[in-house]
Every structure is written in structure tokens, then in C-alpha cells.
Amino acid sequence: MHLPLTMLALTGLASAQGAQGNGKTTRYWDCCKPSCAWPGKSTASTPVLTCDRNDNPLNDRGATRSGCDSGGSAFMCSNQSPWAVNETLAYGWAAVNIAGSNEAAWCCACYELTFTSGPVSGKKMIVQATNTGGDLGNNHFDIAMPGGGVGIFNACTQQYGAPPNGWGERYGGVGGKSACASFPEKLKDGCNWRFDWFMGADNPDVRFRQVACPAAITAKSQCVRQRDVIDQTPTGPSTVPTWTP
């Protein structure tokens, strides 16, 4: 069956160019071990890197129980926070759900998001899918940003001593940049990013397309997919400094 072009644009599709379409965003930072950090979730030879309570890399190939589980001690690493590459481009990570696809297809894949609403309209962000969630809709990118709200799960209290519902509101997080000043030092830059480069945008819509991951992203996550619908060889330098105005 051939779908009309308008339907393809709305649903997203997997093709020789990878998944693409229109989508939506939300935000979160729950400190939990990401779903794609478990072994065998994708074609990658190693899962997403996680850290211990003190933010030291575990290098355990995904074996450690999540800090969101009883007795768990694996957490999201602080360096998987978003950062600005230049005035119109940022890099980061996200929990993802692609319509008509599955976690095996999107874990550790990267997507170029072009924001189409709000104050960031026209800006672009490349995110690597490191997580998913039962509360995500179709073509949904839940961008990881410290202070974005813990959502359903919360390991930030265990890892950093955050309030019981995380920093700010459980859904939505902190309300302004001034709140970032009280954050753990390693999370401050990611929290500030939301109000600087991201301009405090509240769940902007996006156009998205799958792209090869920047090496600067995979150098931090340590997760690189093997070739599937597109060539997954990481591109560009492995270190990209944070842009400041």
C-alpha cells in the first residue's frame, strides 16, 4: 500500500535515508541508567556508557543495575548533557519513540532535529537516542537536560541528593535559570543550556531525520551502531568545544 506524502510526513518512515518526519519534544533528566545502556539493545558493539553515584564511568558493558531500581548503582553520566556547538546548532541525547519502529532500530541512532515552533524555531539539534519511555508518543523526542524534570522515575535523589520529586516540578523541572545555580557543579552547564541556547523553549515541535552520529557525541556515550539503513560511521572531530556568545 502506498501512503500519501502527507501521511508519510506525519508518521515518519524508515527508508534508505533512515527515519524522518514531523515530531514533538519534551524534556527530562531522571539520572537513571538509560534503556540503551543495557547490552543487546542495538547493533552497537557496546551499550551507552553509564556512571556510578560519583559520576565515574563504570565501563561494565551494561551489567550494573539501574539506580532507579532497588539496590542499583548505575546512573546517567553528567557529560551526556546538551551543549551548544554554535549559535544555531546543539548536540545532546534523548529518550525516543519513532512511529512504526522499535528500540532495536533507534537505540544509539542519531537524529537531526529542526525546531519548527517557539523561540528556537529554525535552530537545529543532533541528538542520540539513548533511552525510551512508556509515556512517549509517536515521533517523540524527550530531550535530556538537567533540571528538565525527572518524570516517572527519579534517581537524582539517590545520586545527587535532589528533592524527592527532583529539582523543580516533577514534570517540567525548574522554572528559570536562577535555579541552576544550586545544582551539582557537573549539571550546571546543562541546566543553563536550557535557558541560554534553548531560550527556555517549552516542548517545541520538530522536523527530524536520521543522520550519522557526530563523533563528539559517541565519544561521550561510547555507543556506535553498525551500518544498517544508513552508514553509521561517526562524523567530524571527537571533541567539540561549547560555543559561548
Side-chain angles (χ1 to χ4, degrees):
M1 179 179 69
H2 296 284
L3 294 176
L5 289 178
T6 52
M7 182 64 73
L8 292 175
L10 288 170
T11 61
L13 65 156
S15 69
Q17 287 76 45
Q20 54 190 299
N22 295 325
K24 61 182 179 180
T25 67
T26 47
R27 59 184 179 268
Y28 86 106
W29 187 274
D30 61 11
C31 300
C32 300
K33 174 179 181 173
S35 178
C36 301
W38 292 102
K41 283 294 185 84
S42 73
T43 62
S45 58
T46 57
V48 173
L49 185 69
T50 56
C51 287
D52 65 17
R53 185 175 181 178
N54 296 314
D55 204 41
N56 299 308
L58 285 172
N59 295 311
D60 63 345
R61 299 186 68 85
T64 305
R65 184 187 295 269
S66 172
C68 278
D69 297 331
S70 177
S73 57
F75 301 90
M76 188 186 302
C77 298
S78 68
N79 70 351
Q80 291 169 24
S81 296
W83 81 100
V85 176
N86 58 44
E87 188 175 5
T88 59
L89 176 66
Y91 288 168
W93 291 265
V96 171
N97 183 32
I98 303 296
S101 189
N102 56 60
E103 197 173 14
W106 67 63
C107 260
C108 296
C110 282
Y111 301 89
E112 179 189 76
L113 310 181
T114 300
F115 297 104
T116 57
S117 68
V120 288
S121 183
K123 288 189 174 187
K124 295 179 184 291
M125 183 176 189
I126 298 178
V127 296
Q128 184 178 42
T130 53
N131 208 351
T132 191
D135 56 342
L136 300 185
N138 288 331
N139 297 339
H140 190 158
F141 297 85
D142 198 14
I143 301 172
M145 56 183 85
V150 295
I152 297 176
F153 302 105
N154 174 24
C156 296
T157 300
Q158 180 182 349
Q159 186 179 17
Y160 293 109
N165 284 320
W167 298 283
E169 299 295 325
R170 191 172 186 101
Y171 292 89
V174 299
K177 184 176 178 178
S178 61
C180 301
S182 64
F183 271 49
E185 194 63 35
K186 290 185 175 182
L187 298 182
K188 286 181 179 179
D189 286 348
C191 182
N192 287 328
W193 173 90
R194 176 180 158 202
F195 300 100
D196 293 336
W197 188 93
F198 202 57
M199 305 174 72
D202 188 21
N203 303 341
D205 295 328
V206 293
R207 293 192 310 272
F208 71 91
R209 67 184 184 98
Q210 188 176 351
V211 296
C213 290
I217 287 179
T218 59
K220 294 183 177 185
S221 71
Q222 296 293 298
C223 192
V224 179
R225 290 181 66 87
Q226 305 305 304
R227 184 181 178 96
D228 41 29
V229 294
I230 67 168
D231 185 352
Q232 300 284 357
T233 305
T235 60
S238 59
T239 302
V240 173
T242 299
W243 172 82
T244 54

